[in-house]
Amino acid sequence: MLSNQIRKYTTGIILIVIVVLISVLLFFRKTQLNPVTGKKQHINLTHQQEIELGLECAPDMAARFGGLYSNTDIKNKVKVIGQKLVAVRQVSKSPYQFDFHILADSQMVNTFSFPGGQIFITRGLLKLLKTDDEIAIILSHEIGHVMGRHTTEKLSGFDILEKFKDSTHVITNYSPNQINSYITDLLKITFDSEEESEADELALKYMVEAGYNPKAFPEILEKLSGKSEIPGAEDFLNRHPVPENRIENLKSTIIKYHKRK
């Protein structure tokens, strides 16, 4: 009798250990090392799946914000600045396919990046940027989020990405409902202080290497953070919070970059 109880107890313990081991193995199977940040991230997608999903969603993303801005000169300016930034050594060696789009919405002040390299800036935010350096600041920050795979990591638990579990091949032709759900989830994302700091650090690195002056970076954040009343800026701040230490950290990092020159 006692022997049977011990046997059942031992069997139960063994089953629990097996379940725990399987869970750990599955977790690490879906954990990827980011060569840019050196961090391990819990991500379901391959780089190619990120690219394909972003490309599929880009037209619907534009449609949500009144389409793409039609001014050819301004569109070309943003694309040229963006391409200079992604030509820097670290970004150019990545597998991502970057492209830069201006959303026609002139009321919203915001910027978005899809995993894989599709980057959007609203006309409302672009109107506030007076120089190429200021445009480069916003674009390079979003490039930093892509390279840091911040959005991909946040979305890895969402329903649309469940189909990629244990999958290495590319799946295209998403249904309209899947695309709509993915964009909706992406637009809800807010970045935490660690992700913002990481994107800032990468942004400064890319700007300096591309030949842009990052000194206006903290000034833009101060402007958007409410020290001057900007209609629509709350959209930007909800997505990219600007605590006081973020601005101070930026100023310190910029000084370090200038000392290296």
Side-chain angles (χ1 to χ4, degrees):
M1 184 75 173
L2 183 59
S3 177
N4 287 337
Q5 287 178 335
I6 292 172
R7 191 179 298 114
K8 287 180 181 179
Y9 178 78
T10 304
T11 302
I13 292 295
I14 292 171
L15 288 173
I16 291 171
V17 170
I18 290 172
V19 169
V20 170
L21 285 173
I22 291 172
S23 298
V24 170
L25 287 171
L26 287 174
F27 175 82
F28 282 106
R29 185 177 178 183
K30 291 180 289 185
T31 298
Q32 301 180 33
L33 178 66
N34 190 320
V36 174
T37 63
K39 293 181 177 179
K40 288 182 178 179
Q41 295 173 289
H42 186 54
I43 289 175
N44 293 335
L45 298 188
T46 66
H47 293 104
Q48 189 59 36
Q49 287 168 341
E50 288 180 287
I51 293 167
E52 290 290 340
L53 194 51
L55 288 171
E56 288 257 354
C57 292
D60 290 73
M61 178 67 173
R64 285 203 181 200
F65 293 89
L68 296 176
Y69 187 55
S70 60
N71 186 298
T72 302
D73 291 339
I74 295 177
K75 284 195 301 183
N76 289 341
K77 173 187 273 196
V78 169
K79 285 185 181 290
V80 167
I81 293 171
Q83 291 308 316
K84 279 187 70 175
L85 290 166
V86 299
V88 304
R89 186 168 52 254
Q90 188 179 68
V91 184
S92 65
K93 289 182 178 180
S94 80
Y96 296 127
Q97 297 176 16
F98 285 94
D99 201 1
F100 302 88
H101 315 277
I102 305 172
L103 298 170
D105 193 322
S106 61
Q107 302 303 311
M108 176 176 279
V109 176
N110 218 333
T111 178
F112 310 94
S113 55
F114 275 78
Q118 300 300 306
I119 292 176
F120 297 83
I121 181 172
T122 65
R123 176 61 181 148
L125 176 54
L126 191 61
K127 288 191 299 185
L128 302 175
L129 308 177
K130 306 304 181 185
T131 67
D132 288 3
D133 290 326
E134 292 179 349
I135 296 172
I137 285 165
I138 299 299
L139 299 184
S140 61
H141 180 83
E142 291 304 316
I143 293 168
H145 279 308
V146 174
M147 296 293 286
R149 302 186 82 183
H150 299 149
T151 301
T152 310
E153 187 170 30
K154 283 182 176 293
L155 289 174
S156 284
F158 284 53
D159 288 343
I160 189 170
L161 301 192
E162 292 298 301
K163 67 189 290 187
F164 294 114
K165 281 185 176 178
D166 305 318
S167 172
T168 57
H169 64 284
V170 178
I171 303 173
T172 54
N173 300 319
Y174 306 96
S175 72
N177 284 341
Q178 286 175 316
I179 290 175
N180 181 67
S181 175
Y182 180 70
I183 294 174
T184 298
D185 289 341
L186 184 141
L187 293 175
K188 291 177 183 175
I189 283 177
T190 57
F191 297 108
D192 60 33
S193 58
E194 183 179 352
E195 290 160 339
E196 285 297 271
S197 177
E198 198 166 75
D200 285 346
E201 186 80 27
L202 292 171
L204 290 174
K205 178 180 179 181
Y206 302 152
M207 285 187 69
V208 171
E209 192 172 335
Y212 292 104
N213 187 341
K215 282 188 173 181
F217 202 159
E219 294 173 8
I220 287 177
L221 290 183
E222 286 175 342
K223 183 192 297 185
L224 291 170
S225 65
K227 293 180 180 178
S228 59
E229 304 266 330
I230 296 176
E234 64 275 7
D235 296 313
F236 180 91
L237 296 173
N238 287 338
R239 188 172 178 81
H240 302 275
V242 186
E244 192 68 33
N245 66 321
R246 181 183 173 191
I247 294 173
E248 293 308 312
N249 290 340
L250 269 172
K251 290 178 179 178
S252 299
T253 306
I254 290 169
I255 290 171
K256 289 178 186 176
Y257 272 112
H258 280 276
K259 284 182 178 179
R260 291 176 193 168
K261 291 185 175 183

